[in-house]
Amino acid sequence: MSYKKIGILGDIHTSHERLETALNYLHQEAVCDLILCVGDIVDGPDDAEVCCELLREDPLVVAVSGNHDRWCLQGHRREPSTATQKDDLSEENVDYLDQLPVHRLLPIPQGQLLLFHGDALDRPAWQELYGGSAETEGRSTIDLSVATASSEQIRSLLKRWADASVRWFVLGHKHRRLLRCIEGHYFLNPGAFRHGRSYDVGFCVLDLQAPSVTFYDMPQISTIRQARHIKL
Protein backbone atom coordinates (compact mmCIF):
# COMPACT_ATOMS: atom_id res chain seq x y z
CA MET A 1 0.00 0.00 0.00
CA SER A 2 1.25 3.47 -0.91
CA TYR A 3 0.17 6.09 1.63
CA LYS A 4 -1.15 9.37 0.23
CA LYS A 5 -2.65 11.40 3.09
CA ILE A 6 -0.64 11.29 6.27
CA GLY A 7 -1.30 12.88 9.64
CA ILE A 8 1.87 13.61 11.61
CA LEU A 9 2.03 13.99 15.39
CA GLY A 10 5.00 15.76 16.94
CA ASP A 11 6.57 15.09 20.33
CA ILE A 12 3.65 14.26 22.64
CA HIS A 13 5.25 14.42 26.10
CA THR A 14 2.18 12.98 27.89
CA SER A 15 -0.31 15.53 26.47
CA HIS A 16 -3.12 12.97 26.31
CA GLU A 17 -6.01 15.42 25.80
CA ARG A 18 -4.35 17.18 22.85
CA LEU A 19 -3.42 13.79 21.44
CA GLU A 20 -7.00 12.52 21.61
CA THR A 21 -8.32 15.73 20.00
CA ALA A 22 -5.76 15.50 17.19
CA LEU A 23 -6.43 11.82 16.54
CA ASN A 24 -10.17 12.46 16.27
CA TYR A 25 -9.52 15.26 13.79
CA LEU A 26 -7.13 13.18 11.67
CA HIS A 27 -9.67 10.34 11.49
CA GLN A 28 -12.89 12.28 11.03
CA GLU A 29 -12.00 15.59 9.38
CA ALA A 30 -8.72 15.09 7.53
CA VAL A 31 -9.57 11.42 6.78
CA CYS A 32 -5.95 10.27 6.73
CA ASP A 33 -4.91 6.79 5.64
CA LEU A 34 -1.89 6.81 7.97
CA ILE A 35 -0.93 8.65 11.19
CA LEU A 36 2.71 8.99 12.18
CA CYS A 37 4.13 9.65 15.64
CA VAL A 38 7.73 10.91 15.84
CA GLY A 39 8.28 9.63 19.40
CA ASP A 40 8.87 11.22 22.81
CA ILE A 41 5.52 10.01 24.03
CA VAL A 42 6.46 10.11 27.72
CA ASP A 43 7.90 12.71 30.14
CA GLY A 44 5.56 15.58 30.83
CA PRO A 45 2.94 16.77 33.33
CA ASP A 46 -0.02 14.83 31.92
CA ASP A 47 -0.83 11.14 31.37
CA ALA A 48 1.72 8.94 29.60
CA GLU A 49 -0.37 5.82 30.23
CA VAL A 50 -3.35 7.21 28.29
CA CYS A 51 -1.06 8.44 25.48
CA CYS A 52 0.43 4.99 25.02
CA GLU A 53 -3.03 3.41 25.01
CA LEU A 54 -4.38 5.87 22.44
CA LEU A 55 -1.46 5.22 20.10
CA ARG A 56 -1.29 1.49 20.69
CA GLU A 57 -4.99 0.94 20.04
CA ASP A 58 -5.27 3.13 16.93
CA PRO A 59 -4.96 0.98 13.78
CA LEU A 60 -3.70 3.90 11.68
CA VAL A 61 -0.86 4.93 13.99
CA VAL A 62 2.74 4.07 13.21
CA ALA A 63 5.31 5.31 15.76
CA VAL A 64 9.02 5.36 16.46
CA SER A 65 10.83 5.79 19.77
CA GLY A 66 12.28 9.08 20.96
CA ASN A 67 15.13 9.61 23.38
CA HIS A 68 12.70 10.24 26.28
CA ASP A 69 10.94 6.94 25.60
CA ARG A 70 14.25 5.08 25.71
CA TRP A 71 15.37 6.96 28.84
CA CYS A 72 12.14 5.95 30.58
CA LEU A 73 12.72 2.27 29.87
CA GLN A 74 16.38 2.53 30.93
CA GLY A 75 15.66 4.50 34.11
CA HIS A 76 17.85 7.33 32.82
CA ARG A 77 17.27 10.98 33.77
CA ARG A 78 14.25 10.19 35.94
CA GLU A 79 14.91 12.99 38.46
CA PRO A 80 12.52 15.71 37.18
CA SER A 81 9.07 15.60 38.78
CA THR A 82 7.48 15.36 35.32
CA ALA A 83 9.58 12.35 34.28
CA THR A 84 7.52 9.24 33.56
CA GLN A 85 8.56 6.29 35.70
CA LYS A 86 8.58 2.87 34.07
CA ASP A 87 6.80 1.40 37.09
CA ASP A 88 3.88 3.78 36.54
CA LEU A 89 3.14 2.24 33.14
CA SER A 90 1.17 -0.93 32.54
CA GLU A 91 3.00 -3.99 31.27
CA GLU A 92 1.27 -3.58 27.90
CA ASN A 93 2.47 -0.01 27.54
CA VAL A 94 6.02 -0.83 28.63
CA ASP A 95 6.04 -3.54 25.96
CA TYR A 96 4.64 -1.03 23.44
CA LEU A 97 7.43 1.47 24.11
CA ASP A 98 10.03 -1.27 24.13
CA GLN A 99 9.09 -2.56 20.69
CA LEU A 100 9.11 0.84 18.98
CA PRO A 101 11.92 1.01 16.40
CA VAL A 102 14.23 3.99 15.99
CA HIS A 103 13.11 4.44 12.38
CA ARG A 104 10.56 3.16 9.88
CA LEU A 105 10.42 3.17 6.09
CA LEU A 106 6.97 3.68 4.60
CA PRO A 107 5.87 3.55 0.95
CA ILE A 108 4.55 6.73 -0.67
CA PRO A 109 3.75 7.50 -4.34
CA GLN A 110 7.12 9.25 -4.89
CA GLY A 111 9.26 6.54 -3.30
CA GLN A 112 9.54 6.14 0.46
CA LEU A 113 9.21 8.17 3.64
CA LEU A 114 11.63 7.77 6.55
CA LEU A 115 10.19 8.33 10.02
CA PHE A 116 12.67 8.88 12.86
CA HIS A 117 12.92 11.01 15.99
CA GLY A 118 16.03 13.01 15.17
CA ASP A 119 17.83 13.04 18.52
CA ALA A 120 20.99 11.60 16.91
CA LEU A 121 21.45 14.69 14.72
CA ASP A 122 24.19 17.06 15.85
CA ARG A 123 24.00 20.83 16.13
CA PRO A 124 25.42 21.62 12.65
CA ALA A 125 22.71 19.38 11.14
CA TRP A 126 19.95 21.14 13.10
CA GLN A 127 21.34 24.54 12.18
CA GLU A 128 21.32 23.56 8.53
CA LEU A 129 17.74 22.32 8.69
CA TYR A 130 16.51 25.41 10.54
CA GLY A 131 18.20 27.98 8.38
CA GLY A 132 21.94 27.72 8.69
CA SER A 133 22.86 29.56 11.90
CA ALA A 134 22.63 29.37 15.68
CA GLU A 135 20.11 32.21 15.59
CA THR A 136 17.71 30.48 13.18
CA GLU A 137 18.04 27.09 14.87
CA GLY A 138 15.48 28.15 17.49
CA ARG A 139 12.85 29.30 15.00
CA SER A 140 10.25 27.60 12.87
CA THR A 141 11.46 27.24 9.29
CA ILE A 142 9.39 26.94 6.12
CA ASP A 143 11.73 27.12 3.13
CA LEU A 144 11.03 25.32 -0.14
CA SER A 145 13.96 26.78 -2.07
CA VAL A 146 16.20 23.85 -3.00
CA ALA A 147 19.36 23.92 -0.89
CA THR A 148 22.56 21.89 -1.13
CA ALA A 149 23.46 19.73 1.86
CA SER A 150 26.29 21.35 3.78
CA SER A 151 26.58 19.53 7.13
CA GLU A 152 28.31 16.14 7.33
CA GLN A 153 25.30 14.44 8.96
CA ILE A 154 22.75 15.67 6.42
CA ARG A 155 25.01 14.61 3.53
CA SER A 156 25.46 11.21 5.19
CA LEU A 157 21.70 10.86 5.77
CA LEU A 158 20.90 11.55 2.11
CA LYS A 159 23.60 9.14 0.94
CA ARG A 160 22.58 6.37 3.34
CA TRP A 161 18.95 6.33 2.18
CA ALA A 162 19.50 7.09 -1.51
CA ASP A 163 19.13 3.43 -2.56
CA ALA A 164 15.82 3.24 -0.70
CA SER A 165 14.43 6.17 -2.75
CA VAL A 166 13.58 8.16 0.39
CA ARG A 167 11.94 11.45 -0.63
CA TRP A 168 10.57 12.57 2.76
CA PHE A 169 12.35 12.65 6.11
CA VAL A 170 9.81 13.09 8.94
CA LEU A 171 11.26 13.83 12.36
CA GLY A 172 10.65 15.51 15.71
CA HIS A 173 12.89 16.27 18.71
CA LYS A 174 12.92 20.02 18.12
CA HIS A 175 9.50 21.34 19.14
CA ARG A 176 9.33 23.73 16.21
CA ARG A 177 7.83 23.38 12.75
CA LEU A 178 10.08 22.59 9.85
CA LEU A 179 9.55 22.18 6.12
CA ARG A 180 12.80 22.28 4.21
CA CYS A 181 13.89 21.06 0.79
CA ILE A 182 17.51 19.89 0.50
CA GLU A 183 18.68 18.44 -2.81
CA GLY A 184 15.13 17.48 -3.74
CA HIS A 185 14.39 15.79 -0.39
CA TYR A 186 11.90 17.19 2.11
CA PHE A 187 12.48 17.42 5.86
CA LEU A 188 9.29 17.83 7.91
CA ASN A 189 8.73 18.44 11.63
CA PRO A 190 5.10 19.02 12.72
CA GLY A 191 5.90 20.79 16.00
CA ALA A 192 4.93 19.31 19.37
CA PHE A 193 2.05 18.85 21.77
CA ARG A 194 4.04 20.05 24.75
CA HIS A 195 3.08 23.63 25.49
CA GLY A 196 5.91 26.12 25.79
CA ARG A 197 6.63 29.72 24.95
CA SER A 198 8.96 28.91 22.07
CA TYR A 199 7.17 25.76 20.86
CA ASP A 200 4.80 25.25 17.93
CA VAL A 201 1.92 23.39 19.55
CA GLY A 202 0.04 21.30 17.03
CA PHE A 203 0.40 18.75 14.23
CA CYS A 204 0.33 18.60 10.44
CA VAL A 205 -1.14 16.76 7.47
CA LEU A 206 0.98 15.73 4.50
CA ASP A 207 -1.21 15.31 1.41
CA LEU A 208 0.85 13.67 -1.32
CA GLN A 209 -1.95 13.89 -3.88
CA ALA A 210 -2.50 17.66 -3.66
CA PRO A 211 0.50 17.86 -2.92
CA SER A 212 0.61 20.05 0.18
CA VAL A 213 1.48 20.31 3.86
CA THR A 214 -1.00 21.87 6.30
CA PHE A 215 0.12 22.83 9.79
CA TYR A 216 -2.45 23.10 12.58
CA ASP A 217 -2.26 25.06 15.84
CA MET A 218 -3.75 23.79 19.10
CA PRO A 219 -3.83 26.93 21.29
CA GLN A 220 -6.21 25.17 23.67
CA ILE A 221 -6.51 21.47 24.42
CA SER A 222 -9.72 21.05 22.42
CA THR A 223 -9.12 23.78 19.81
CA ILE A 224 -7.69 23.15 16.33
CA ARG A 225 -7.13 25.88 13.76
CA GLN A 226 -5.22 25.92 10.50
CA ALA A 227 -1.92 27.75 10.85
CA ARG A 228 -0.35 27.41 7.39
CA HIS A 229 -1.17 25.62 4.17
CA ILE A 230 1.82 25.14 1.86
CA LYS A 231 1.44 23.90 -1.69
CA LEU A 232 4.41 21.86 -2.87
Side-chain angles (χ1 to χ4, degrees):
M1 177 180 182
S2 181
Y3 300 103
K4 298 175 181 177
K5 195 170 187 182
I6 304 170
I8 305 172
L9 309 169
D11 294 28
I12 295 168
H13 287 297
T14 76
S15 185
H16 62 290
E17 292 177 304
R18 277 194 172 88
L19 173 59
E20 185 171 18
T21 299
L23 286 172
N24 287 337
Y25 182 89
L26 294 172
H27 276 278
Q28 299 170 15
E29 301 294 331
V31 194
C32 294
D33 52 21
L34 179 69
I35 299 173
L36 304 180
C37 170
V38 303
D40 274 7
I41 300 162
V42 305
D43 288 355
D46 298 314
D47 199 324
E49 183 84 348
V50 173
C51 289
C52 290
E53 289 171 1
L54 287 168
L55 297 171
R56 179 167 56 85
E57 295 173 359
D58 192 314
L60 293 188
V61 169
V62 170
V64 291
S65 68
N67 52 300
H68 284 264
D69 306 317
R70 296 189 292 275
W71 290 346
C72 175
L73 297 177
Q74 297 161 2
H76 182 55
R77 296 191 180 184
R78 298 298 88 198
E79 296 81 10
S81 60
T82 57
T84 302
Q85 305 301 323
K86 180 180 176 180
D87 290 345
D88 293 335
L89 298 173
S90 68
E91 183 178 344
E92 292 83 1
N93 287 332
V94 169
D95 288 344
Y96 174 72
L97 292 178
D98 191 45
Q99 59 82 34
L100 291 178
V102 294
H103 69 259
R104 292 182 189 263
L105 275 174
L106 299 157
I108 56 174
Q110 299 88 346
Q112 295 203 83
L113 177 153
L114 180 69
L115 175 66
F116 65 114
H117 185 65
D119 54 294
L121 294 180
D122 60 16
R123 189 161 190 187
W126 285 118
Q127 288 179 357
E128 177 177 357
L129 291 176
Y130 280 92
S133 70
E135 289 73 23
T136 58
E137 183 189 357
R139 304 174 189 167
S140 301
T141 299
I142 309 295
D143 184 356
L144 294 182
S145 59
V146 180
T148 300
S150 58
S151 71
E152 183 177 345
Q153 276 200 329
I154 298 300
R155 289 197 300 268
S156 176
L157 194 64
L158 296 180
K159 183 178 180 180
R160 177 184 176 186
W161 295 104
D163 290 343
S165 301
V166 171
R167 182 79 186 280
W168 283 85
F169 294 86
V170 175
L171 69 166
H173 196 56
K174 297 288 185 180
H175 297 175
R176 290 171 291 275
R177 292 184 184 124
L178 169 71
L179 179 58
R180 191 88 198 277
C181 185
I182 298 178
E183 298 186 9
H185 302 80
Y186 291 98
F187 289 79
L188 176 59
N189 185 333
F193 284 165
R194 185 171 182 176
H195 194 273
R197 185 173 58 182
S198 61
Y199 301 156
D200 293 315
V201 182
F203 59 95
C204 74
V205 172
L206 170 60
D207 188 336
L208 293 166
Q209 288 183 302
S212 66
V213 174
T214 306
F215 291 98
Y216 294 91
D217 284 334
M218 297 187 71
Q220 305 297 328
I221 288 172
S222 60
T223 302
I224 295 174
R225 66 187 183 201
Q226 183 176 308
R228 290 194 66 173
H229 178 74
I230 301 105
K231 293 182 179 180
L232 303 174

